[in-house]
Amino acid sequence: MKSIMPNVMFNKYNIDLNNPIHFVKRWLINNETRRIISSRTDVKIADLGCGLGIISRELANFAKVDAYDVDAHAVMFAQQIHHQPINLKFYTESVFNIKKNNYYDLVVCSEVLEYIADDLAALKKMNKVLKPSGYLILTVPFNKSLITEFDEREKSRRYSLKKISSKMEKANFAIRRIRYW
Protein backbone atom coordinates (compact mmCIF):
# COMPACT_ATOMS: atom_id res chain seq x y z
CA MET A 1 0.00 0.00 0.00
CA LYS A 2 2.76 2.47 0.86
CA SER A 3 4.40 2.09 -2.56
CA ILE A 4 1.07 2.71 -4.34
CA MET A 5 0.17 5.91 -2.48
CA PRO A 6 2.73 8.23 -4.17
CA ASN A 7 1.62 7.02 -7.63
CA VAL A 8 -2.05 7.51 -6.76
CA MET A 9 -1.36 11.01 -5.44
CA PHE A 10 0.79 11.93 -8.43
CA ASN A 11 -1.92 10.70 -10.84
CA LYS A 12 -4.58 12.70 -8.97
CA TYR A 13 -2.30 15.74 -9.00
CA ASN A 14 -1.87 15.50 -12.78
CA ILE A 15 -5.61 15.05 -13.31
CA ASP A 16 -6.41 18.05 -11.10
CA LEU A 17 -3.71 20.16 -12.71
CA ASN A 18 -4.82 19.43 -16.29
CA ASN A 19 -8.60 19.05 -15.98
CA PRO A 20 -10.31 21.91 -17.90
CA ILE A 21 -12.91 22.44 -15.15
CA HIS A 22 -10.18 22.72 -12.51
CA PHE A 23 -8.21 25.06 -14.79
CA VAL A 24 -11.17 27.42 -15.18
CA LYS A 25 -11.88 27.32 -11.44
CA ARG A 26 -8.23 28.16 -10.64
CA TRP A 27 -8.26 30.96 -13.21
CA LEU A 28 -11.40 32.47 -11.63
CA ILE A 29 -9.98 32.17 -8.11
CA ASN A 30 -6.67 33.75 -9.17
CA ASN A 31 -8.41 36.63 -10.94
CA GLU A 32 -10.71 37.27 -7.99
CA THR A 33 -7.73 37.11 -5.61
CA ARG A 34 -5.81 39.65 -7.68
CA ARG A 35 -8.85 41.94 -7.70
CA ILE A 36 -9.34 41.68 -3.93
CA ILE A 37 -5.72 42.16 -2.86
CA SER A 38 -4.53 44.51 -5.62
CA SER A 39 -4.03 47.50 -3.32
CA ARG A 40 -3.08 45.60 -0.16
CA THR A 41 0.31 44.66 1.19
CA ASP A 42 1.36 41.92 3.61
CA VAL A 43 -1.71 39.84 2.72
CA LYS A 44 -2.43 36.58 4.54
CA ILE A 45 -4.52 33.90 2.82
CA ALA A 46 -5.95 30.65 4.20
CA ASP A 47 -6.66 27.89 1.68
CA LEU A 48 -9.12 25.61 3.48
CA GLY A 49 -9.32 22.10 2.10
CA CYS A 50 -6.19 22.62 0.04
CA GLY A 51 -5.99 19.02 -1.13
CA LEU A 52 -2.80 18.58 -3.13
CA GLY A 53 -1.95 22.28 -2.89
CA ILE A 54 -2.35 23.35 -6.51
CA ILE A 55 -4.40 26.45 -5.69
CA SER A 56 -2.29 27.11 -2.58
CA ARG A 57 0.89 27.22 -4.66
CA GLU A 58 -0.68 29.65 -7.14
CA LEU A 59 -1.97 31.89 -4.32
CA ALA A 60 1.56 31.99 -2.89
CA ASN A 61 2.48 34.12 -5.91
CA PHE A 62 0.35 36.90 -4.39
CA ALA A 63 0.64 36.57 -0.62
CA LYS A 64 1.54 34.51 2.44
CA VAL A 65 -0.55 31.33 2.37
CA ASP A 66 -1.47 28.87 5.10
CA ALA A 67 -2.94 25.77 3.43
CA TYR A 68 -5.08 23.40 5.52
CA ASP A 69 -6.45 19.94 4.82
CA VAL A 70 -7.61 17.03 7.00
CA ASP A 71 -5.98 14.45 4.70
CA ALA A 72 -2.46 13.87 6.03
CA HIS A 73 -1.41 12.02 2.85
CA ALA A 74 -2.52 14.93 0.66
CA VAL A 75 -0.70 17.45 2.85
CA MET A 76 2.49 15.36 2.86
CA PHE A 77 2.33 15.08 -0.94
CA ALA A 78 1.70 18.83 -1.30
CA GLN A 79 4.70 19.62 0.91
CA GLN A 80 6.93 17.41 -1.23
CA ILE A 81 5.72 18.48 -4.65
CA HIS A 82 5.62 22.23 -3.95
CA HIS A 83 8.92 22.37 -1.99
CA GLN A 84 7.32 24.85 0.40
CA PRO A 85 8.31 28.32 -0.69
CA ILE A 86 8.88 30.60 2.28
CA ASN A 87 5.41 32.13 1.98
CA LEU A 88 3.51 28.81 1.79
CA LYS A 89 2.92 26.49 4.74
CA PHE A 90 0.82 23.33 4.80
CA TYR A 91 -1.05 22.07 7.86
CA THR A 92 -2.96 18.86 8.54
CA GLU A 93 -5.85 20.55 10.28
CA SER A 94 -9.62 20.91 10.15
CA VAL A 95 -11.16 24.34 9.70
CA PHE A 96 -12.71 23.86 13.14
CA ASN A 97 -9.28 23.58 14.80
CA ILE A 98 -7.65 26.70 13.37
CA LYS A 99 -6.62 28.91 16.30
CA LYS A 100 -5.97 32.12 14.36
CA ASN A 101 -8.92 34.52 14.75
CA ASN A 102 -9.27 37.81 12.85
CA TYR A 103 -6.03 36.86 11.10
CA TYR A 104 -6.58 36.27 7.37
CA ASP A 105 -7.32 38.88 4.73
CA LEU A 106 -8.71 36.21 2.41
CA VAL A 107 -10.03 32.68 2.86
CA VAL A 108 -10.33 30.39 -0.14
CA CYS A 109 -12.49 27.30 0.21
CA SER A 110 -12.87 25.54 -3.11
CA GLU A 111 -15.06 22.45 -3.53
CA VAL A 112 -14.82 21.50 0.16
CA LEU A 113 -17.91 22.81 1.97
CA GLU A 114 -20.14 20.14 0.40
CA TYR A 115 -18.23 17.42 2.30
CA ILE A 116 -18.44 19.05 5.75
CA ALA A 117 -21.32 17.67 7.82
CA ASP A 118 -22.03 20.98 9.59
CA ASP A 119 -21.43 23.36 6.71
CA LEU A 120 -23.00 26.32 8.52
CA ALA A 121 -20.63 25.90 11.50
CA ALA A 122 -17.73 25.70 9.03
CA LEU A 123 -18.83 28.96 7.38
CA LYS A 124 -19.07 30.62 10.79
CA LYS A 125 -15.54 29.45 11.61
CA MET A 126 -14.30 30.80 8.26
CA ASN A 127 -15.81 34.16 9.16
CA LYS A 128 -14.11 34.01 12.56
CA VAL A 129 -10.61 33.47 11.10
CA LEU A 130 -11.10 36.39 8.69
CA LYS A 131 -10.20 39.95 9.58
CA PRO A 132 -13.28 42.21 9.78
CA SER A 133 -12.43 43.59 6.32
CA GLY A 134 -11.58 40.14 4.93
CA TYR A 135 -13.01 38.21 2.00
CA LEU A 136 -14.10 34.65 1.38
CA ILE A 137 -13.84 33.02 -2.04
CA LEU A 138 -16.06 29.97 -1.90
CA THR A 139 -16.77 27.47 -4.66
CA VAL A 140 -19.38 24.75 -4.26
CA PRO A 141 -21.16 22.35 -6.63
CA PHE A 142 -24.33 23.92 -7.90
CA ASN A 143 -27.66 22.63 -9.15
CA LYS A 144 -29.14 19.62 -7.40
CA SER A 145 -30.49 18.29 -10.69
CA LEU A 146 -26.89 17.48 -11.67
CA ILE A 147 -26.26 15.09 -8.75
CA THR A 148 -24.20 12.16 -9.98
CA GLU A 149 -23.23 8.74 -8.73
CA PHE A 150 -19.93 10.33 -7.69
CA ASP A 151 -21.78 12.86 -5.47
CA GLU A 152 -23.73 10.07 -3.82
CA ARG A 153 -20.69 7.83 -3.34
CA GLU A 154 -18.64 10.70 -1.90
CA LYS A 155 -21.56 11.90 0.26
CA SER A 156 -21.28 15.30 -1.36
CA ARG A 157 -23.99 17.96 -1.51
CA ARG A 158 -24.96 20.38 -4.24
CA TYR A 159 -26.32 23.81 -3.36
CA SER A 160 -28.98 26.01 -4.86
CA LEU A 161 -28.25 29.72 -5.08
CA LYS A 162 -30.92 30.34 -2.43
CA LYS A 163 -29.48 27.69 -0.05
CA ILE A 164 -25.84 28.83 -0.21
CA SER A 165 -26.83 32.51 0.03
CA SER A 166 -28.94 31.75 3.11
CA LYS A 167 -26.08 29.85 4.78
CA MET A 168 -23.64 32.67 3.98
CA GLU A 169 -25.97 35.25 5.53
CA LYS A 170 -26.52 33.07 8.64
CA ALA A 171 -22.72 32.93 9.01
CA ASN A 172 -22.66 36.77 8.93
CA PHE A 173 -21.11 37.17 5.50
CA ALA A 174 -22.14 40.09 3.34
CA ILE A 175 -22.33 38.71 -0.19
CA ARG A 176 -20.53 41.02 -2.62
CA ARG A 177 -20.48 38.92 -5.75
CA ILE A 178 -21.86 35.61 -6.94
CA ARG A 179 -20.63 33.90 -10.07
CA TYR A 180 -21.55 30.48 -11.36
CA TRP A 181 -21.15 28.34 -14.42
Side-chain angles (χ1 to χ4, degrees):
M1 180 87 171
K2 288 184 180 180
S3 62
I4 294 173
M5 186 56 73
N7 288 336
V8 170
M9 289 293 189
F10 192 73
N11 288 341
K12 182 174 176 6
Y13 176 82
N14 281 326
I15 290 168
D16 288 353
L17 189 63
N18 297 306
N19 181 303
I21 292 172
H22 292 250
F23 178 81
V24 170
K25 180 180 62 171
R26 287 194 323 269
W27 181 82
L28 289 169
I29 290 169
N30 285 330
N31 278 358
E32 200 62 25
T33 299
R34 277 191 207 101
R35 189 184 68 73
I36 290 169
I37 68 171
S38 64
S39 61
R40 298 177 183 207
T41 58
D42 194 32
V43 175
K44 295 177 187 90
I45 299 175
D47 184 5
L48 304 180
C50 68
L52 303 177
I54 296 169
I55 292 173
S56 310
R57 180 64 184 99
E58 291 177 1
L59 293 171
N61 291 323
F62 311 121
K64 179 186 178 290
V65 177
D66 289 340
Y68 299 90
D69 203 289
V70 296
D71 184 339
H73 294 293
V75 169
M76 192 177 349
F77 181 85
Q79 289 170 328
Q80 292 169 356
I81 197 107
H82 298 297
H83 308 292
Q84 287 216 42
I86 196 161
N87 59 334
L88 173 59
K89 291 194 166 96
F90 290 96
Y91 301 92
T92 304
E93 198 72 63
S94 161
V95 62
F96 297 108
N97 296 329
I98 297 172
K99 304 290 185 233
K100 298 173 180 177
N101 293 329
N102 297 317
Y103 184 77
Y104 294 105
D105 301 287
L106 174 65
V107 168
V108 174
C109 182
S110 182
E111 308 300 308
V112 174
L113 191 66
E114 62 272 16
Y115 296 103
I116 299 174
D118 192 347
D119 53 359
L120 180 57
L123 285 167
K124 287 178 179 179
K125 180 61 178 182
M126 289 176 209
N127 199 341
K128 192 172 182 178
V129 302
L130 276 170
K131 292 179 180 176
S133 60
Y135 289 85
L136 168 66
I137 296 176
L138 176 70
T139 69
V140 295
F142 186 68
N143 194 343
K144 290 183 179 187
S145 69
L146 299 175
I147 288 179
T148 66
E149 185 180 306
F150 176 81
D151 295 319
E152 292 171 358
R153 183 178 64 244
E154 296 293 315
K155 296 180 177 55
S156 171
R157 290 185 294 281
R158 288 184 177 262
Y159 294 87
S160 66
L161 183 57
K162 182 178 178 181
K163 184 66 122 183
I164 195 64
S165 297
S166 172
K167 286 184 183 279
M168 297 288 292
E169 289 167 1
K170 286 177 183 173
N172 294 318
F173 282 103
I175 300 171
R176 302 276 185 235
R177 177 187 240 164
I178 296 175
R179 299 170 88 182
Y180 59 92
W181 80 96

